[in-house]
Amino acid sequence: MSLVKSKPFTILLVEDNAGDVEMFLRAVEHELPRHDAEQVELVVAARAEGGLKILAERPIDLVITDIRLPGMSGLELLQRIHDMNRHIPVIMVSWVDAVDTAIEAVHHGAFDYIVKPFEKFDLAMRIHRAMRISEIFAEQRGSEVADPATLPFRNLIGNGPAMQKVKAMIDTVAKVPATTLIIGETGTGKELLAKAIHERSDEADGPFQVVDCTTFTEGIAESELFGHVRGAFTGAVSDKQGLIELGSRGTVFLDEIGDLPLNLQAKLLRVLEEREVRAVGSTEQRKLAVRFVAATNQDLAAKVKRGEFRKDLFFRLNVMVIHVPPLRERKEDIPSLARHFLGRYTKEFGKPIADILPAALTELIAYPWPGNVRELRNVIERAVMLAKQDTIDRSQVVNLLHADRHSSGSIIEEHLHLPYAKAKEKILEEFNRQYIQAKLNAHKGNVTHAASEAGLPRPYFHEIMRRYLKKEGD
């Protein structure tokens, strides 16, 4: 989507405090990242009545209003704006003691709220997100889009309140060609959400290309992402398409975007904004038709403040955001998830296990699941592998959960005498060895299947095998 507009993006600010008006002006002028040809105009009214008069006289793309205003309140203004045009996003501004009122306003249709006193960066982030969404829906308004809600969620297990919200958000973002950011802890299933967005979008017939931002090494990262032409560097004996271009006419999933090296972030930003890619060694810009979905388990806003992540890339990603709840916050889904994994692994291992007993499910629900759904999956996998009867009972589950807690604690205690860096190296080495060996055992030595189950590219999985599963004497 191009950010170039034929007219300025007009923001109406309804605020009677001159100091706050000045803060808004500075945030718009200095903090908002914008395309060179994009203009933003800020129109100010001190009272709600004046704001309504401006809305009646000229097009407004976004309204920011204080809740406490002389005369008509901000909540009344929100209702009047919705009566005029429900497509105008409205951001409510409140003091700390009025946060409950601001949240109520969001429930009644406000786009977002911000609390005074606010930081310019936080304010700009929220304004930018509202601007982008306003543009996205303006482009889509009036177009015929198939209702993705009629499609089943094949791999997203659970129908508790938290997952219902996630599924509703997936249906929303799938309708528009906006970059989506998925935020969640490790093991929550962010890639499954990205696939669900892809399957419900207009790009569903195209490829789903995974780009793991944690695996890039210095020197080859740019070539892997953007491709290269023959002769671009030593060893470039032929032209090669990059991972992003391989996802053309489909979806590119940028996994763990927070780990992307800083030197690549500016180049990725250009790709996201211009929908063009230039291979290493080439002077040609090639157009892309692709949907981007990014994911992270990190606080990108905090990384921006530490100088570890580009502010402009963060603003570009932070438009359509899906927060994936950790498993401990959606425990009502644990029985469904456990039985789903039970069905998968009984079939895979050829074991006639009928069910998980209620007492065993109680133990699973009580456990805090620091490793989220991935940890639950691994527990059920091991329970099926070790089962000697036709049900999974409480004692089996307790033993497996206790073994997890005991082994993680004992490994740490075993290396407490070492310096931090050395102890971390030893613990990670043991984790890699045990994890890769377990995956190979589960798939009877089939590296391709083990790598796929682990969510790793086969060459990367094979490299871990080479490093950590060396035979004695090698």
Side-chain angles (χ1 to χ4, degrees), residues 26 44 113 156 277 357-358 379:
R26 287 201 299 269
V44 180
Y113 73 92
L156 295 182
V277 66
L357 296 181
V379 167

Side-chain angles (χ1 to χ4, degrees), residues 116-135:
K116 296 180 181 179
F118 41 74
E119 294 183 359
K120 287 188 294 181
F121 174 77
D122 186 38
L123 173 63
M125 176 179 71
R126 293 168 189 271
I127 293 175
H128 183 270
R129 186 164 58 200
M131 288 172 63
R132 296 288 79 83
I133 289 178
S134 176
E135 290 179 347

Side-chain angles (χ1 to χ4, degrees), residues 140 145-146 174-175 197-198 200-206 249 291:
Q140 292 296 307
V145 181
K175 296 177 183 178
I197 294 170
H198 171 71
R200 306 167 91 75
S201 71
D202 290 341
E203 294 78 26
D205 292 335
R249 302 191 181 281
R291 172 187 291 269

Side-chain angles (χ1 to χ4, degrees), residues 19-272:
D20 288 336
V21 171
E22 181 64 26
M23 176 72 84
F24 278 100
L25 285 169
R26 287 201 299 269
V28 169
E29 290 175 1
H30 303 301
E31 292 289 329
L32 276 181
R34 296 193 294 276
H35 190 280
D36 289 342
E38 184 182 42
Q39 296 180 345
V40 176
E41 180 181 357
L42 186 64
V43 182
V44 180
R47 300 172 65 96
E49 293 81 359
L52 289 172
K53 186 173 185 295
I54 292 171
L55 282 161
E57 294 173 349
R58 59 180 299 181
I60 297 295
D61 299 296
L62 168 65
V63 176
I64 304 172
T65 177
D66 202 323
I67 286 179
R68 296 175 178 172
L69 293 169
M72 184 187 298
S73 72
L75 289 177
E76 293 177 89
L77 175 60
L78 171 67
Q79 183 60 55
R80 294 283 294 274
I81 292 170
H82 281 179
D83 290 343
M84 297 170 67
N85 185 347
R86 296 193 66 86
H87 296 293
I88 300 176
V90 179
I91 297 177
M92 310 298 294
V93 181
S94 76
W95 287 96
V96 173
D97 61 357
V99 166
D100 289 345
T101 306
I103 294 172
E104 180 187 351
V106 171
H107 290 159
H108 285 84
F111 173 79
D112 201 353
Y113 73 92
I114 189 166
V115 179
K116 296 180 181 179
F118 41 74
E119 294 183 359
K120 287 188 294 181
F121 174 77
D122 186 38
L123 173 63
M125 176 179 71
R126 293 168 189 271
I127 293 175
H128 183 270
R129 186 164 58 200
M131 288 172 63
R132 296 288 79 83
I133 289 178
S134 176
E135 290 179 347
I136 290 164
F137 282 104
E139 288 186 2
Q140 292 296 307
R141 201 171 298 140
S143 63
E144 293 293 328
V145 181
D147 184 5
T150 60
L151 300 173
F153 283 97
R154 295 184 299 146
N155 295 310
L156 295 182
I157 309 301
N159 287 304
M163 281 307 294
Q164 287 181 9
K165 290 180 181 177
V166 168
K167 291 176 180 179
M169 191 63 184
I170 288 172
D171 281 336
T172 297
V173 302
K175 296 177 183 178
V176 294
T179 299
T180 302
L181 178 63
I182 302 172
I183 301 173
E185 296 177 6
T186 298
T188 49
K190 297 185 287 293
E191 184 173 340
L192 289 178
L193 266 67
K195 286 181 179 176
I197 294 170
H198 171 71
E199 290 168 356
R200 306 167 91 75
S201 71
D202 290 341
E203 294 78 26
D205 292 335
F208 180 79
Q209 179 66 44
V210 178
V211 178
D212 185 351
C213 297
T214 67
T215 61
F216 293 128
T217 57
E218 204 66 40
I220 66 168
E222 188 173 354
S223 170
E224 288 293 312
L225 265 182
F226 309 120
H228 63 251
V229 297
R230 179 181 178 184
F233 50 84
T234 302
V237 296
S238 62
D239 291 356
K240 177 186 175 182
Q241 281 189 314
L243 293 172
I244 288 178
E245 196 169 4
L246 287 172
S248 192
R249 302 191 181 281
T251 298
V252 171
F253 175 51
L254 301 164
D255 196 16
E256 297 307 340
I257 188 72
D259 290 316
L260 190 69
L262 270 170
N263 65 314
L264 289 179
Q265 291 178 19
K267 294 176 181 178
L268 176 62
L269 174 65
R270 179 176 177 81
V271 172
L272 294 178

